[in-house]
Amino acid sequence: MKPLRLAVIGGGVIGSKHAELIFNYQGAELVGITDIDKTVVSIANQYKVAFYNELEELLLSQEPDGVIIAVPN
């Protein structure tokens, strides 16, 4: 069975925790992280995935099966 391809929107405390959990879960693959804060690229680098400043760019290039939205309400 192919892993579920997931992306994370928002790289703050909760977003980085979700990225870690996805990265370490055998049935899922972290395919990218997006955030308006360019310093979040360090989280993407940590997990060796692409970083995007624009959500649309992430969705078009990675075509994830799902996304986790982890932005402030």
Side-chain angles (χ1 to χ4, degrees), residues 19-55:
E20 176 188 356
L21 293 169
I22 294 166
F23 183 79
N24 290 318
Y25 185 72
Q26 197 169 28
E29 176 186 2
L30 181 63
V31 297
I33 298 173
T34 184
D35 198 297
I36 59 172
D37 180 358
K38 291 184 180 182
T39 64
V40 173
V41 72
S42 64
I43 297 167
N45 291 340
Q46 178 180 351
Y47 298 111
K48 297 176 179 49
V49 297
F51 172 79
Y52 300 89
N53 256 136
E54 298 292 330
L55 172 61

